[in-house]
Amino acid sequence: MALALSMPVSSAVKVTASLDSASIMMGRVDTLRLIVDRDESTQGVFPLFNKVMPGGYVTLFNDTVELGSPVVDTVRREGGRIIERLRVPVQVFDSGFYRLPPFVYLTAADSVGSNEVELTVVPVKVGENDAISDYRDISDPSDRSFWDWMPDWLYDLWWLWILLIAAVVAAVYFGRKYRKTGKFITLPDRPQPKPWTVALTRLEELKAKNLWENGMEKEYFTQLTDILRDYLYARFGINAMEMTSRQIMQTLADQADVREHRGYVRKILDVADFVKFAKVRPLPADNVEAYDNAVNFVKETIEKDPDPIADDRNSDSSVTASEVKKGGER
């Protein structure tokens, strides 16, 4: 037992402090003993122990040293003297040398300090996974919350549970969507090309085939009139595929928005009918003129807000709209 003499400040009260052991291992519990020798008529307290934390202890050195609640034994002696013996648990959580300050005993008339005591704390030298004997396991908190009851492996893998929940929500959402639409993901409809863009593109492709140059005039005019009929349906709603040439011209004459351009169509259909039905072989100039008439008809019937792509495609046509008058007249 390490003992030290008291530092008397008042004859009525004497306070002595000592430790059971001057050297302990970090985390172990030592015992601080405080002895108060006082007159029966002089009563006081240690103010330090009035600052008890919720866990039932007080701290020193920035919470490094913890002093537990004291256990007090009182003995009466002859001459009106009282001996109070306090046993205080001491626990230190960092290694090093500590000099505990005097413990002050406060009375109504005076204050008396004990002597200082010294304590050496030895560190625990163990590996990360080594078991430490004679140490208690970490105790559970008295007021355990929901998270305290949760297993550590479940708590540590919180991100995995979030992913699982997200996967379940996604499965429910896309499952319902598939039952309604037959698709897991519905992509927005791609914008359809303008009718004149399609027609001009098909005309360029027809030109690149060189059909009439290779003696295939009938195939040439068949495809040319098909492009023209499809354009009439897509642009004006005229079901030209189901009409004769005469019916097409009559329908164009009845529609104000295309009436002035019907001359191009008439010239194309006249030559095409001769080639397909009368088996007349047109001149090269007739083939070129029919193609140019088709291009001009499409260009002159483009809406006021034309598709920029269509403008680009129109740049390579052999005859531009500015080179002819409306209605197909040169």
Side-chain angles (χ1 to χ4, degrees):
M1 177 183 296
L3 299 174
L5 296 177
S6 64
M7 299 171 57
V9 178
S10 172
S11 60
V13 180
K14 294 180 181 180
V15 181
T16 304
S18 63
L19 289 168
D20 282 359
S21 177
S23 178
I24 62 171
M25 187 173 291
M26 184 176 64
R28 293 288 176 83
V29 178
D30 199 355
T31 300
L32 169 68
R33 298 183 183 274
L34 298 174
I35 299 176
V36 180
D37 186 352
R38 62 178 176 83
D39 291 336
E40 185 177 7
S41 60
T42 305
Q43 295 184 354
V45 295
F46 286 96
L48 175 65
F49 297 112
N50 291 333
K51 303 176 182 179
V52 178
M53 304 293 288
Y57 58 88
V58 296
T59 61
L60 298 173
F61 301 106
N62 295 325
D63 299 338
T64 304
V65 178
E66 291 185 0
L67 304 178
S69 300
V71 178
V72 182
D73 292 331
T74 304
V75 178
R76 292 181 179 270
R77 290 189 175 179
E78 296 181 357
R81 301 297 292 181
I82 300 293
I83 304 298
E84 294 181 1
R85 294 187 175 89
L86 288 76
R87 299 192 307 277
V88 183
V90 179
Q91 196 169 17
V92 186
F93 298 97
D94 196 4
S95 60
F97 175 79
Y98 296 88
R99 178 178 286 110
L100 304 187
F103 295 91
V104 177
Y105 186 80
L106 184 63
T107 67
D110 202 354
S111 62
V112 180
S114 73
N115 55 291
E116 295 181 349
V117 292
E118 297 176 351
L119 178 63
T120 301
V121 180
V122 181
V124 180
K125 296 181 180 180
V126 293
E128 181 179 354
N129 298 319
D130 293 345
I132 305 176
S133 60
D134 299 333
Y135 278 83
R136 287 188 175 183
D137 292 334
I138 299 174
S139 62
D140 294 328
S142 57
D143 52 343
R144 299 182 68 181
S145 65
F146 169 78
W147 303 108
D148 295 322
W149 288 101
M150 182 178 294
D152 290 341
W153 63 270
L154 186 62
Y155 183 83
D156 294 339
L157 296 177
W158 59 268
W159 55 271
L160 180 59
W161 299 109
I162 292 178
L163 290 178
L164 290 176
I165 293 173
V168 171
V169 173
V172 172
Y173 172 78
F174 288 110
R176 291 180 177 178
K177 191 167 187 178
Y178 183 79
R179 286 195 295 270
K180 291 181 180 180
T181 64
K183 299 178 180 179
F184 288 109
I185 299 177
T186 303
L187 298 176
D189 294 335
R190 297 181 61 182
Q192 297 298 320
K194 301 295 184 181
W196 48 86
T197 302
V198 175
L200 291 172
T201 300
R202 293 178 63 187
L203 287 171
E204 290 179 3
E205 293 173 350
L206 174 62
K207 183 178 180 181
K209 293 179 180 179
N210 296 323
L211 294 178
W212 67 264
E213 291 89 342
N214 294 314
M216 303 172 66
E217 288 86 355
K218 183 176 180 180
E219 290 80 358
Y220 172 75
F221 275 97
T222 298
Q223 295 187 28
L224 181 64
T225 54
D226 286 346
I227 294 172
L228 183 62
R229 291 170 186 269
D230 288 339
Y231 176 70
L232 289 173
Y233 178 75
R235 175 69 176 87
F236 303 103
I238 300 174
N239 191 13
M241 279 293 185
E242 306 297 331
M243 295 181 180
T244 64
S245 297
R246 183 184 299 275
Q247 291 172 331
I248 292 174
M249 296 308 303
Q250 183 60 47
T251 303
L252 293 178
D254 295 338
Q255 291 196 201
D257 54 349
V258 72
R259 183 183 301 142
E260 61 180 322
H261 306 290
R262 70 184 186 278
Y264 293 121
V265 179
R266 177 179 53 78
K267 292 180 180 180
I268 296 171
L269 295 179
D270 286 346
V271 178
D273 287 344
F274 276 114
V275 173
K276 290 189 292 182
F277 301 114
K279 298 183 180 180
V280 175
R281 187 169 187 180
L283 298 174
D286 296 329
N287 299 324
V288 174
E289 183 180 7
Y291 179 85
D292 292 342
N293 286 335
V295 171
N296 292 330
F297 176 74
V298 173
K299 285 184 176 181
E300 291 186 16
T301 55
I302 292 176
E303 290 180 339
K304 293 182 180 180
D305 185 17
D307 192 312
I309 299 177
D311 291 342
D312 294 338
R313 295 187 183 279
N314 294 346
S315 60
D316 295 333
S317 299
S318 60
V319 179
T320 63
S322 61
E323 294 175 346
V324 295
K325 297 179 181 179
K326 288 184 177 181
E329 300 295 333
R330 292 184 178 275

